[in-house]
């Protein structure tokens, strides 16, 4: 039996983009798992995996930490429906993973930090104020977010152009069917969806239509998740 440790916010919102990658990956494989919610200040729950971040999975007695390592592990152990498919598929996914982490996640963070902070569990607020405050140089997250949105939304949309070009030509980033490259980017879009009412995409954007398709997958798994 697989257990997934998943970041929890107030009202049981589950925003972690990296945990969503793992949830999409597990759904792709059709694997059952138990979801264990974890707050930022409950790291003792994942100490067994020697991790300070989620996602972490435990498959029987085997701990696996880090979303990329989890995808690789699931393909190795459950090769039936591959997430990474081929050497080239894995290399492409690795590129999408790096691009999403450094460009897309980084572009979203300033746009939603105020809304995100409002929805952090009360017992985790000090931790977030300290850790994210140190990163941004301020704990006035609401003002930071307002300023970031002035130019940041347009810049964020422009940064999505590589995905947009692919999605004009094909249904999914991975081709005719979704696979791990799609789960990486879709996981990241679950982060703003669960914590902020801000609409990041315009309706006529191919990335918007793709995101709709991703929300519909696996019986609407992501669409059913609690939103902002
Ligand atoms: N490279 C890691 C990143 C995981 C990560 O940063 N997770 C965040 C949640 S979105 C976390 O656990 N943060 C803990 C903290 O900030 O204390 C992965 O892909 O799994």
């Amino acid at each position: 039996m697989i257990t997934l440790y998943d970041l929890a916010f107030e009202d049981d919102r589950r925003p972690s983009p990296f945990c969503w990658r793992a949830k999409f990956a597990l759904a792709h494989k059709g694997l059952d798992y138990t979801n264990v919610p974890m707050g930022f200040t409950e790291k003792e729950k994942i100490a067994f995996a020697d991790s300070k971040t989620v996602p972490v999975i435990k498959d029987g007695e085997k701990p696996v930490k880090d979303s990329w390592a989890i995808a690789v592990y699931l393909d190795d152990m459950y090769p039936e429906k591959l997430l990474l498919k081929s050497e080239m598929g894995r290399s492409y996914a690795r590129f999408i993973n790096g691009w999403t982490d450094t460009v897309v996640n980084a572009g979203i963070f300033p746009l939603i930090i105020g809304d995100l902070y409002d929805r952090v569990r009360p017992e985790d607020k000090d931790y977030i104020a300290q850790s994210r405050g140190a990163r941004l140089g301020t704990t006035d997250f609401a003002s930071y977010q307002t300023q970031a949105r002035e130019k940041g939304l347009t810049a964020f949309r422009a940064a999505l152009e590589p995905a947009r070009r692919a999605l004009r030509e094909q249904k999914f980033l991975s081709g005719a069917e979704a696979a791990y490259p799609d789960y990486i980017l879709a996981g990241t879009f679950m982060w703003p969806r669960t914590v902020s009412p801000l609409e990041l995409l315009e309706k006529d954007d191919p990335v918007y239509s793709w995101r709709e398709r991703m929300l519909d997958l696996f019986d609407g798994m992501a669409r059913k998740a609690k939103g902002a």
Side-chain angles (χ1 to χ4, degrees), residues 7 16-18 40 43 52-55 66-68 127 132:
L7 187 66
S16 165
F18 306 103
F40 281 105
K43 299 243 176 10
K52 291 192 164 34
T53 61
V54 281
D66 187 90
S67 59
W68 178 263
Y127 172 78
R132 274 49 174 185

Side-chain angles (χ1 to χ4, degrees), residues 7 15-19 21 38 40-41 43 46 51-56 65-70 97 101 105 127-128 131-132 135 180 191:
L7 187 66
S16 165
F18 306 103
C19 292
R21 292 176 196 180
M38 196 199 85
F40 281 105
T41 53
K43 299 243 176 10
I46 51 170
S51 184
K52 291 192 164 34
T53 61
V54 281
V56 163
K65 61 178 174 181
D66 187 90
S67 59
W68 178 263
I70 290 170
N97 210 57
D101 286 359
N105 282 14
Y127 172 78
I128 290 300
S131 58
R132 274 49 174 185
R135 201 187 293 175
Y180 199 62
W191 181 35

Side-chain angles (χ1 to χ4, degrees), residues 92 95-97 99-100 103-105 108 155-175 181-186 188-189 201 204-211 213-214:
Y92 172 56
F95 175 81
I96 297 290
N97 210 57
W99 175 70
T100 305
V103 176
V104 187
N105 282 14
I108 291 175
F156 170 73
R157 288 174 179 163
L160 292 175
E161 190 59 21
R164 188 171 296 120
R165 288 193 187 188
L167 293 168
R168 270 199 200 105
E169 305 297 326
Q170 58 203 50
K171 206 168 162 196
F172 294 102
L173 290 177
S174 311
D182 296 275
Y183 305 143
I184 295 167
L185 189 61
T188 275
F189 274 108
L201 301 173
D204 61 353
D205 188 339
V207 184
Y208 182 102
S209 319
W210 163 85
R211 192 184 57 182
R213 289 194 283 281
M214 296 306 295

